[in-house]
mmCIF file of all heavy atoms in Angstrom:
data_model
loop_
_atom_site.group_PDB
_atom_site.id
_atom_site.type_symbol
_atom_site.label_atom_id
_atom_site.label_comp_id
_atom_site.label_asym_id
_atom_site.label_seq_id
_atom_site.Cartn_x
_atom_site.Cartn_y
_atom_site.Cartn_z
ATOM 1 N N GLU X 12 4.188 16.554 8.503
ATOM 2 C CA GLU X 12 4.557 15.183 8.134
ATOM 3 C C GLU X 12 5.124 15.124 6.727
ATOM 4 O O GLU X 12 6.123 14.441 6.483
ATOM 5 C CB GLU X 12 3.327 14.284 8.241
ATOM 6 C CG GLU X 12 3.618 12.821 7.905
ATOM 7 C CD GLU X 12 2.374 11.965 7.997
ATOM 8 O OE1 GLU X 12 1.290 12.523 8.244
ATOM 9 O OE2 GLU X 12 2.492 10.742 7.804
ATOM 10 N N GLN X 13 4.529 15.860 5.779
ATOM 11 C CA GLN X 13 5.029 15.864 4.407
ATOM 12 C C GLN X 13 6.405 16.517 4.337
ATOM 13 O O GLN X 13 7.272 16.068 3.581
ATOM 14 C CB GLN X 13 4.034 16.585 3.504
ATOM 15 C CG GLN X 13 2.739 15.825 3.280
ATOM 16 C CD GLN X 13 1.722 16.631 2.496
ATOM 17 O OE1 GLN X 13 1.761 17.860 2.497
ATOM 18 N NE2 GLN X 13 0.817 15.948 1.833
ATOM 19 N N THR X 14 6.614 17.578 5.098
ATOM 20 C CA THR X 14 7.920 18.242 5.109
ATOM 21 C C THR X 14 8.998 17.292 5.627
ATOM 22 O O THR X 14 10.104 17.215 5.067
ATOM 23 C CB THR X 14 7.861 19.500 5.991
ATOM 24 O OG1 THR X 14 6.847 20.379 5.485
ATOM 25 C CG2 THR X 14 9.190 20.228 5.980
ATOM 26 N N GLU X 15 8.694 16.545 6.679
ATOM 27 C CA GLU X 15 9.671 15.581 7.221
ATOM 28 C C GLU X 15 9.972 14.487 6.215
ATOM 29 O O GLU X 15 11.129 14.085 6.042
ATOM 30 C CB GLU X 15 9.125 14.986 8.516
ATOM 31 C CG GLU X 15 9.036 16.007 9.651
ATOM 32 C CD GLU X 15 8.280 15.461 10.854
ATOM 33 O OE1 GLU X 15 7.720 14.339 10.737
ATOM 34 O OE2 GLU X 15 8.254 16.136 11.885
ATOM 35 N N LYS X 16 8.938 14.000 5.507
ATOM 36 C CA LYS X 16 9.165 12.979 4.476
ATOM 37 C C LYS X 16 10.001 13.530 3.331
ATOM 38 O O LYS X 16 10.859 12.830 2.772
ATOM 39 C CB LYS X 16 7.834 12.455 3.953
ATOM 40 C CG LYS X 16 7.088 11.559 4.916
ATOM 41 C CD LYS X 16 5.836 10.987 4.283
ATOM 42 C CE LYS X 16 5.125 10.020 5.231
ATOM 43 N NZ LYS X 16 3.913 9.445 4.607
ATOM 44 N N LEU X 17 9.773 14.786 2.968
ATOM 45 C CA LEU X 17 10.526 15.411 1.883
ATOM 46 C C LEU X 17 12.004 15.499 2.234
ATOM 47 O O LEU X 17 12.881 15.136 1.430
ATOM 48 C CB LEU X 17 9.945 16.796 1.604
ATOM 49 C CG LEU X 17 10.481 17.546 0.391
ATOM 50 C CD1 LEU X 17 10.194 16.778 -0.880
ATOM 51 C CD2 LEU X 17 9.858 18.931 0.310
ATOM 52 N N LEU X 18 12.318 15.950 3.446
ATOM 53 C CA LEU X 18 13.718 16.046 3.869
ATOM 54 C C LEU X 18 14.347 14.665 4.008
ATOM 55 O O LEU X 18 15.518 14.461 3.649
ATOM 56 C CB LEU X 18 13.794 16.797 5.203
ATOM 57 C CG LEU X 18 13.325 18.265 5.173
ATOM 58 C CD1 LEU X 18 13.319 18.847 6.576
ATOM 59 C CD2 LEU X 18 14.214 19.079 4.250
ATOM 60 N N GLN X 19 13.587 13.697 4.493
ATOM 61 C CA GLN X 19 14.103 12.331 4.635
ATOM 62 C C GLN X 19 14.382 11.707 3.269
ATOM 63 O O GLN X 19 15.410 11.056 3.066
ATOM 64 C CB GLN X 19 13.108 11.483 5.413
ATOM 65 C CG GLN X 19 13.597 10.064 5.684
ATOM 66 C CD GLN X 19 12.569 9.249 6.435
ATOM 67 O OE1 GLN X 19 11.491 9.729 6.762
ATOM 68 N NE2 GLN X 19 12.879 8.006 6.715
ATOM 69 N N PHE X 20 13.476 11.923 2.308
ATOM 70 C CA PHE X 20 13.666 11.369 0.954
ATOM 71 C C PHE X 20 14.900 11.990 0.294
ATOM 72 O O PHE X 20 15.673 11.298 -0.373
ATOM 73 C CB PHE X 20 12.410 11.629 0.118
ATOM 74 C CG PHE X 20 12.517 11.147 -1.298
ATOM 75 C CD1 PHE X 20 12.409 9.798 -1.603
ATOM 76 C CD2 PHE X 20 12.742 12.042 -2.338
ATOM 77 C CE1 PHE X 20 12.522 9.346 -2.904
ATOM 78 C CE2 PHE X 20 12.860 11.596 -3.635
ATOM 79 C CZ PHE X 20 12.739 10.246 -3.921
ATOM 80 N N GLN X 21 15.110 13.293 0.474
ATOM 81 C CA GLN X 21 16.283 13.939 -0.105
ATOM 82 C C GLN X 21 17.565 13.382 0.502
ATOM 83 O O GLN X 21 18.560 13.163 -0.197
ATOM 84 C CB GLN X 21 16.194 15.449 0.109
ATOM 85 C CG GLN X 21 17.330 16.208 -0.577
ATOM 86 C CD GLN X 21 17.299 17.676 -0.259
ATOM 87 O OE1 GLN X 21 17.095 18.073 0.886
ATOM 88 N NE2 GLN X 21 17.492 18.512 -1.268
ATOM 89 N N ASP X 22 17.542 13.123 1.810
ATOM 90 C CA ASP X 22 18.732 12.582 2.472
ATOM 91 C C ASP X 22 19.029 11.160 2.005
ATOM 92 O O ASP X 22 20.186 10.775 1.839
ATOM 93 C CB ASP X 22 18.530 12.623 3.988
ATOM 94 C CG ASP X 22 19.754 12.115 4.733
ATOM 95 O OD1 ASP X 22 20.836 12.694 4.599
ATOM 96 O OD2 ASP X 22 19.624 11.098 5.451
ATOM 97 N N LEU X 23 17.978 10.357 1.774
ATOM 98 C CA LEU X 23 18.173 8.966 1.361
ATOM 99 C C LEU X 23 18.631 8.848 -0.087
ATOM 100 O O LEU X 23 19.399 7.947 -0.426
ATOM 101 C CB LEU X 23 16.878 8.177 1.556
ATOM 102 C CG LEU X 23 16.444 7.926 3.008
ATOM 103 C CD1 LEU X 23 15.081 7.271 3.052
ATOM 104 C CD2 LEU X 23 17.462 7.043 3.722
ATOM 105 N N THR X 24 18.158 9.741 -0.952
ATOM 106 C CA THR X 24 18.450 9.623 -2.385
ATOM 107 C C THR X 24 19.572 10.527 -2.846
ATOM 108 O O THR X 24 20.163 10.293 -3.896
ATOM 109 C CB THR X 24 17.191 9.938 -3.209
ATOM 110 O OG1 THR X 24 16.735 11.270 -2.895
ATOM 111 C CG2 THR X 24 16.089 8.941 -2.873
ATOM 112 N N CYS X 32 12.366 16.154 -5.686
ATOM 113 C CA CYS X 32 12.002 15.256 -4.580
ATOM 114 C C CYS X 32 10.504 15.326 -4.306
ATOM 115 O O CYS X 32 9.842 14.298 -4.111
ATOM 116 C CB CYS X 32 12.780 15.631 -3.321
ATOM 117 S SG CYS X 32 14.558 15.350 -3.409
ATOM 118 N N THR X 35 8.498 13.558 -7.062
ATOM 119 C CA THR X 35 8.595 12.103 -6.941
ATOM 120 C C THR X 35 7.697 11.586 -5.826
ATOM 121 O O THR X 35 6.983 10.583 -5.995
ATOM 122 C CB THR X 35 10.050 11.690 -6.674
ATOM 123 O OG1 THR X 35 10.890 12.200 -7.721
ATOM 124 C CG2 THR X 35 10.182 10.170 -6.619
ATOM 125 N N LEU X 36 7.708 12.253 -4.678
ATOM 126 C CA LEU X 36 6.850 11.823 -3.566
ATOM 127 C C LEU X 36 5.377 11.983 -3.908
ATOM 128 O O LEU X 36 4.550 11.134 -3.545
ATOM 129 C CB LEU X 36 7.190 12.628 -2.311
ATOM 130 C CG LEU X 36 8.495 12.233 -1.603
ATOM 131 C CD1 LEU X 36 8.837 13.241 -0.513
ATOM 132 C CD2 LEU X 36 8.397 10.837 -1.020
ATOM 133 N N GLU X 37 5.028 13.052 -4.600
ATOM 134 C CA GLU X 37 3.627 13.245 -4.979
ATOM 135 C C GLU X 37 3.166 12.166 -5.948
ATOM 136 O O GLU X 37 2.018 11.713 -5.896
ATOM 137 C CB GLU X 37 3.441 14.627 -5.603
ATOM 138 C CG GLU X 37 3.549 15.764 -4.592
ATOM 139 C CD GLU X 37 3.471 17.135 -5.237
ATOM 140 O OE1 GLU X 37 3.625 17.201 -6.484
ATOM 141 O OE2 GLU X 37 3.261 18.122 -4.525
ATOM 142 N N HIS X 39 4.063 9.172 -5.884
ATOM 143 C CA HIS X 39 3.880 7.940 -5.109
ATOM 144 C C HIS X 39 2.972 8.166 -3.900
ATOM 145 O O HIS X 39 3.017 7.401 -2.936
ATOM 146 C CB HIS X 39 5.239 7.405 -4.641
ATOM 147 C CG HIS X 39 6.128 6.936 -5.765
ATOM 148 N ND1 HIS X 39 6.869 7.809 -6.531
ATOM 149 C CD2 HIS X 39 6.365 5.702 -6.252
ATOM 150 C CE1 HIS X 39 7.548 7.134 -7.434
ATOM 151 N NE2 HIS X 39 7.260 5.852 -7.299
ATOM 152 N N ASN X 40 2.150 9.232 -3.957
ATOM 153 C CA ASN X 40 1.184 9.516 -2.887
ATOM 154 C C ASN X 40 1.855 9.635 -1.517
ATOM 155 O O ASN X 40 1.340 9.171 -0.514
ATOM 156 C CB ASN X 40 0.081 8.448 -2.858
ATOM 157 C CG ASN X 40 -0.744 8.461 -4.114
ATOM 158 O OD1 ASN X 40 -1.019 9.528 -4.675
ATOM 159 N ND2 ASN X 40 -1.140 7.289 -4.575
ATOM 160 N N TRP X 41 3.071 10.218 -1.513
ATOM 161 C CA TRP X 41 3.838 10.467 -0.292
ATOM 162 C C TRP X 41 4.200 9.177 0.436
ATOM 163 O O TRP X 41 4.399 9.169 1.659
ATOM 164 C CB TRP X 41 3.101 11.428 0.637
ATOM 165 C CG TRP X 41 3.017 12.803 0.047
ATOM 166 C CD1 TRP X 41 2.001 13.321 -0.699
ATOM 167 C CD2 TRP X 41 4.019 13.826 0.096
ATOM 168 N NE1 TRP X 41 2.301 14.600 -1.113
ATOM 169 C CE2 TRP X 41 3.526 14.940 -0.616
ATOM 170 C CE3 TRP X 41 5.262 13.927 0.697
ATOM 171 C CZ2 TRP X 41 4.255 16.121 -0.755
ATOM 172 C CZ3 TRP X 41 5.970 15.114 0.563
ATOM 173 C CH2 TRP X 41 5.468 16.194 -0.162
ATOM 174 N N ASN X 42 4.274 8.059 -0.302
ATOM 175 C CA ASN X 42 4.752 6.790 0.249
ATOM 176 C C ASN X 42 6.269 6.779 0.094
ATOM 177 O O ASN X 42 6.792 6.504 -0.984
ATOM 178 C CB ASN X 42 4.119 5.607 -0.488
ATOM 179 C CG ASN X 42 4.481 4.276 0.164
ATOM 180 O OD1 ASN X 42 5.550 4.130 0.752
ATOM 181 N ND2 ASN X 42 3.584 3.311 0.049
ATOM 182 N N ILE X 43 6.994 7.088 1.181
ATOM 183 C CA ILE X 43 8.437 7.283 1.069
ATOM 184 C C ILE X 43 9.163 5.984 0.738
ATOM 185 O O ILE X 43 10.143 5.978 0.001
ATOM 186 C CB ILE X 43 8.993 7.922 2.368
ATOM 187 C CG1 ILE X 43 10.459 8.336 2.161
ATOM 188 C CG2 ILE X 43 8.850 6.987 3.547
ATOM 189 C CD1 ILE X 43 10.993 9.181 3.295
ATOM 190 N N GLU X 44 8.679 4.827 1.279
ATOM 191 C CA GLU X 44 9.331 3.551 0.958
ATOM 192 C C GLU X 44 9.233 3.244 -0.531
ATOM 193 O O GLU X 44 10.214 2.836 -1.156
ATOM 194 C CB GLU X 44 8.694 2.419 1.771
ATOM 195 C CG GLU X 44 8.967 2.480 3.267
ATOM 196 C CD GLU X 44 8.025 3.417 3.982
ATOM 197 O OE1 GLU X 44 7.092 3.931 3.316
ATOM 198 O OE2 GLU X 44 8.211 3.655 5.177
ATOM 199 N N ALA X 45 8.054 3.456 -1.104
ATOM 200 C CA ALA X 45 7.874 3.198 -2.536
ATOM 201 C C ALA X 45 8.714 4.150 -3.379
ATOM 202 O O ALA X 45 9.326 3.753 -4.372
ATOM 203 C CB ALA X 45 6.395 3.319 -2.907
ATOM 204 N N ALA X 46 8.778 5.421 -2.983
ATOM 205 C CA ALA X 46 9.535 6.401 -3.752
ATOM 206 C C ALA X 46 11.032 6.096 -3.720
ATOM 207 O O ALA X 46 11.722 6.188 -4.746
ATOM 208 C CB ALA X 46 9.267 7.804 -3.202
ATOM 209 N N VAL X 47 11.559 5.715 -2.546
ATOM 210 C CA VAL X 47 12.994 5.388 -2.441
ATOM 211 C C VAL X 47 13.321 4.154 -3.262
ATOM 212 O O VAL X 47 14.323 4.108 -3.992
ATOM 213 C CB VAL X 47 13.387 5.190 -0.960
ATOM 214 C CG1 VAL X 47 14.798 4.634 -0.848
ATOM 215 C CG2 VAL X 47 13.285 6.511 -0.210
ATOM 216 N N GLN X 48 12.472 3.094 -3.172
ATOM 217 C CA GLN X 48 12.718 1.881 -3.939
ATOM 218 C C GLN X 48 12.675 2.162 -5.429
ATOM 219 O O GLN X 48 13.492 1.654 -6.204
ATOM 220 C CB GLN X 48 11.680 0.823 -3.569
ATOM 221 C CG GLN X 48 11.910 -0.529 -4.250
ATOM 222 C CD GLN X 48 13.249 -1.133 -3.880
ATOM 223 O OE1 GLN X 48 13.583 -1.223 -2.719
ATOM 224 N NE2 GLN X 48 14.024 -1.540 -4.869
ATOM 225 N N ASP X 49 11.743 2.983 -5.860
ATOM 226 C CA ASP X 49 11.638 3.320 -7.275
ATOM 227 C C ASP X 49 12.862 4.103 -7.732
ATOM 228 O O ASP X 49 13.347 3.931 -8.856
ATOM 229 C CB ASP X 49 10.366 4.129 -7.520
ATOM 230 C CG ASP X 49 9.751 3.822 -8.871
ATOM 231 O OD1 ASP X 49 10.198 2.837 -9.503
ATOM 232 O OD2 ASP X 49 8.834 4.542 -9.290
ATOM 233 N N ARG X 50 13.375 4.967 -6.876
ATOM 234 C CA ARG X 50 14.581 5.727 -7.207
ATOM 235 C C ARG X 50 15.778 4.812 -7.353
ATOM 236 O O ARG X 50 16.586 4.964 -8.291
ATOM 237 C CB ARG X 50 14.833 6.768 -6.113
ATOM 238 C CG ARG X 50 16.123 7.575 -6.309
ATOM 239 C CD ARG X 50 16.075 8.420 -7.553
ATOM 240 N NE ARG X 50 17.315 9.187 -7.713
ATOM 241 C CZ ARG X 50 17.584 9.959 -8.751
ATOM 242 N NH1 ARG X 50 16.695 10.069 -9.732
ATOM 243 N NH2 ARG X 50 18.720 10.627 -8.820
ATOM 244 N N LEU X 51 15.919 3.825 -6.471
ATOM 245 C CA LEU X 51 17.023 2.865 -6.586
ATOM 246 C C LEU X 51 16.891 2.042 -7.861
ATOM 247 O O LEU X 51 17.884 1.767 -8.544
ATOM 248 C CB LEU X 51 17.049 1.947 -5.358
ATOM 249 C CG LEU X 51 17.368 2.633 -4.009
ATOM 250 C CD1 LEU X 51 17.260 1.631 -2.870
ATOM 251 C CD2 LEU X 51 18.750 3.247 -4.050
ATOM 252 N N PHE X 61 6.345 0.526 -9.805
ATOM 253 C CA PHE X 61 5.122 1.219 -9.441
ATOM 254 C C PHE X 61 4.439 1.841 -10.663
ATOM 255 O O PHE X 61 3.463 2.544 -10.535
ATOM 256 C CB PHE X 61 5.422 2.311 -8.403
ATOM 257 C CG PHE X 61 6.069 1.774 -7.182
ATOM 258 C CD1 PHE X 61 7.440 1.827 -7.020
ATOM 259 C CD2 PHE X 61 5.308 1.170 -6.199
ATOM 260 C CE1 PHE X 61 8.032 1.314 -5.887
ATOM 261 C CE2 PHE X 61 5.907 0.668 -5.061
ATOM 262 C CZ PHE X 61 7.266 0.738 -4.915
ATOM 263 N N GLN X 302 22.384 1.978 2.839
ATOM 264 C CA GLN X 302 20.938 2.139 2.965
ATOM 265 C C GLN X 302 20.446 1.632 4.321
ATOM 266 O O GLN X 302 19.588 2.256 4.951
ATOM 267 C CB GLN X 302 20.217 1.401 1.842
ATOM 268 C CG GLN X 302 18.708 1.579 1.859
ATOM 269 C CD GLN X 302 18.025 0.829 0.740
ATOM 270 O OE1 GLN X 302 18.664 0.101 -0.014
ATOM 271 N NE2 GLN X 302 16.727 0.984 0.628
ATOM 272 N N LEU X 306 18.620 3.720 7.054
ATOM 273 C CA LEU X 306 17.321 3.305 7.569
ATOM 274 C C LEU X 306 17.331 3.245 9.093
ATOM 275 O O LEU X 306 16.361 3.631 9.747
ATOM 276 C CB LEU X 306 16.933 1.940 6.988
ATOM 277 C CG LEU X 306 16.546 1.927 5.503
ATOM 278 C CD1 LEU X 306 16.276 0.505 5.034
ATOM 279 C CD2 LEU X 306 15.329 2.804 5.248
ATOM 280 N N ASP X 309 17.239 6.720 10.236
ATOM 281 C CA ASP X 309 15.890 7.257 10.023
ATOM 282 C C ASP X 309 14.908 6.690 11.043
ATOM 283 O O ASP X 309 14.030 7.405 11.548
ATOM 284 C CB ASP X 309 15.405 6.939 8.602
ATOM 285 C CG ASP X 309 16.225 7.668 7.548
ATOM 286 O OD1 ASP X 309 16.845 8.692 7.905
ATOM 287 O OD2 ASP X 309 16.271 7.203 6.391
ATOM 288 N N TYR X 312 15.522 8.404 14.221
ATOM 289 C CA TYR X 312 14.961 9.757 14.151
ATOM 290 C C TYR X 312 13.447 9.721 14.256
ATOM 291 O O TYR X 312 12.837 10.511 14.984
ATOM 292 C CB TYR X 312 15.399 10.423 12.846
ATOM 293 C CG TYR X 312 14.643 11.687 12.528
ATOM 294 C CD1 TYR X 312 14.910 12.869 13.210
ATOM 295 C CD2 TYR X 312 13.651 11.694 11.551
ATOM 296 C CE1 TYR X 312 14.211 14.033 12.930
ATOM 297 C CE2 TYR X 312 12.949 12.849 11.266
ATOM 298 C CZ TYR X 312 13.241 14.020 11.948
ATOM 299 O OH TYR X 312 12.535 15.151 11.666
ATOM 300 N N LEU X 313 12.836 8.784 13.520
ATOM 301 C CA LEU X 313 11.381 8.687 13.551
ATOM 302 C C LEU X 313 10.882 8.268 14.935
ATOM 303 O O LEU X 313 9.834 8.742 15.395
ATOM 304 C CB LEU X 313 10.908 7.693 12.489
ATOM 305 C CG LEU X 313 11.089 8.136 11.032
ATOM 306 C CD1 LEU X 313 10.664 7.023 10.083
ATOM 307 C CD2 LEU X 313 10.289 9.399 10.749
#
Side-chain angles (χ1 to χ4, degrees):
E12 181 181 4
Q13 290 174 335
T14 302
E15 292 170 353
K16 287 185 177 181
L17 187 62
L18 296 174
Q19 183 181 0
F20 178 76
Q21 185 185 44
D22 182 61
L23 291 174
T24 58
C32 293
T35 304
L36 285 171
E37 289 176 345
H39 294 80
N40 296 323
W41 293 93
N42 186 330
I43 189 170
E44 291 83 6
V47 171
Q48 184 61 50
D49 214 11
R50 177 65 180 176
L51 295 176
F61 303 97
Q302 183 180 4
L306 288 176
D309 294 338
Y312 167 75
L313 291 176

